[in-house]
Amino acid sequence: MADDEPGRPARHALLAAATLRGYAWLIAERNTSMSLVSTVAPMLPVGLGLGMIGAALADTTLRQVDHDHAGSASGLFNTSTQLGIALGTALTSVVFFAHSPAGSHGTTITAAFTGTLWYVIAALLAMWALTLLLPKRHATD
């Protein structure tokens, strides 16, 4: 399976979403008694899935750009990516702090965190759906 195969970014978004779903379940089950390993380990496949999305999306979105405009297109792609990351982080933080008032502890923070994960999962599922609309690579490309 080649990295530029159609649908590859979509599968990686689903990997990240499924892992976060499992992470939300794990947090709800164990609450505040999670070990460091059980807290960090699920983030590895999430990072793997998100990292694989970036390379495939760059190839998919920039492959049809003329050589003369490649630098500008690459800069616009990277700027859009960084802006999306910044906005996603900011909006996720807003959701988290809206569900955890100042001075919150224990289960309130846990509930706010798992609630926030559902918004991130929804964003990943939306990303998955949008990647299905990307142009397919032709055999001559």
Side-chain angles (χ1 to χ4, degrees):
M1 211 182 276
D3 282 339
D4 56 2
E5 180 183 323
R8 188 85 141 160
R11 287 193 299 274
H12 297 148
L14 288 178
L15 169 66
T19 303
L20 284 178
R21 167 59 185 107
Y23 195 44
W25 174 83
L26 184 66
I27 292 168
E29 286 295 311
R30 293 205 179 159
N31 210 338
T32 57
S33 65
M34 290 177 59
S35 69
L36 180 62
V37 171
S38 64
T39 304
V40 174
M43 292 295 101
L44 295 174
V46 170
L48 185 66
L50 294 177
M52 287 189 214
I53 290 169
L57 273 180
D59 179 52
T60 302
T61 56
L62 298 175
R63 85 167 62 105
Q64 296 181 5
V65 174
D66 289 335
H67 183 68
D68 295 340
H69 301 293
S72 298
S74 176
L76 181 60
F77 176 81
N78 287 321
T79 300
S80 300
T81 301
Q82 294 300 319
L83 183 61
I85 291 169
L87 285 174
T89 302
L91 292 174
T92 302
S93 298
V94 166
V95 170
F96 175 78
F97 287 113
H99 291 94
S100 62
S104 298
H105 299 287
T107 57
T108 303
I109 295 294
T110 304
F113 184 70
T114 54
T116 303
L117 283 179
W118 288 110
Y119 287 94
V120 175
I121 292 167
L124 286 166
L125 292 176
M127 183 189 312
W128 166 77
L130 290 172
T131 59
L132 298 177
L133 300 175
L134 289 171
K136 304 295 183 225
R137 184 172 187 135
H138 299 290
T140 59
D141 287 345

